[in-house]
Amino acid sequence: MVRTTRIRVETHAPGDLHDLTPQVQEAVTASGYRAGIATVFVAHTTAAVAISEVEPGLRVDLPAMFERLVPADLPYRHNALNYDDNAHSHLRTSLLGPSLTVPFDEGRLLLGTWQRIVLLEFDTHPRSRQVVIQVLGA
Ligand code: ZN
């Protein structure tokens, strides 16, 4: 069986990092399954999910890394064709992708000590994000 939970995440700024681990664990707990996998999917083209440690240094270092990899101020075709400003947001998102899967056992996510499930906001302004959590298990 699959249990689906939809949550909303209100982001504040480009580079925002939101810890979704509590909501994913809640979905696993609510499923009543002992063992299985939880998938986390963000339904947008300018936000992504990843595994990261969450601490103040990485909140700065992660956005800085993406700025080095995909600078915001290059002349992108997406911006020219669509009168848009967020080509770099789409491209950064495509590097990480929209989903990931985490196993669980005995009702607990099998994350490492410092691993957190995070949503990264890549767009140029605050957004309301829909995240779908699906729990498959028994
Ligand atoms: Zn765009």
Side-chain angles (χ1 to χ4, degrees):
M1 280 276 285
V2 179
R3 305 269 175 138
T4 303
T5 304
R6 291 174 180 82
I7 62 173
R8 278 267 159 204
V9 178
E10 307 300 325
T11 68
H12 307 293
D16 260 10
L17 192 148
H18 294 262
D19 187 353
L20 304 179
T21 313
Q23 291 98 317
V24 179
Q25 180 58 57
E26 269 179 43
V28 168
T29 302
S31 76
Y33 299 144
R34 281 183 54 78
I37 54 174
T39 68
V40 182
F41 174 83
V42 58
H44 302 275
T45 62
T46 54
V49 290
I51 297 283
S52 180
E53 182 175 347
V54 175
E55 55 82 39
L58 286 171
R59 285 184 184 278
V60 176
D61 293 337
L62 273 167
M65 175 190 71
F66 285 106
E67 178 59 31
R68 289 193 300 274
L69 288 173
V70 186
D73 61 356
L74 294 179
Y76 296 105
R77 297 284 292 165
H78 173 77
N79 292 345
L81 291 172
N82 301 289
Y83 306 102
D84 211 343
D85 67 350
N86 66 355
H88 64 286
S89 314
H90 295 287
L91 295 170
R92 292 175 189 181
T93 300
S94 72
L95 288 176
L96 287 180
S99 71
L100 55 76
T101 302
V102 179
F104 64 93
D105 194 25
E106 298 180 355
R108 304 295 305 171
L109 292 168
L110 296 175
L111 293 166
T113 304
W114 303 108
Q115 286 186 309
R116 309 294 287 180
I117 302 163
V118 297
L119 179 145
L120 285 113
E121 179 57 72
F122 286 123
D123 216 332
T124 54
H125 55 280
R127 299 287 305 266
S128 178
R129 298 307 197 176
Q130 177 173 276
V131 177
V132 181
I133 302 166
Q134 287 197 313
V135 180
L136 295 80

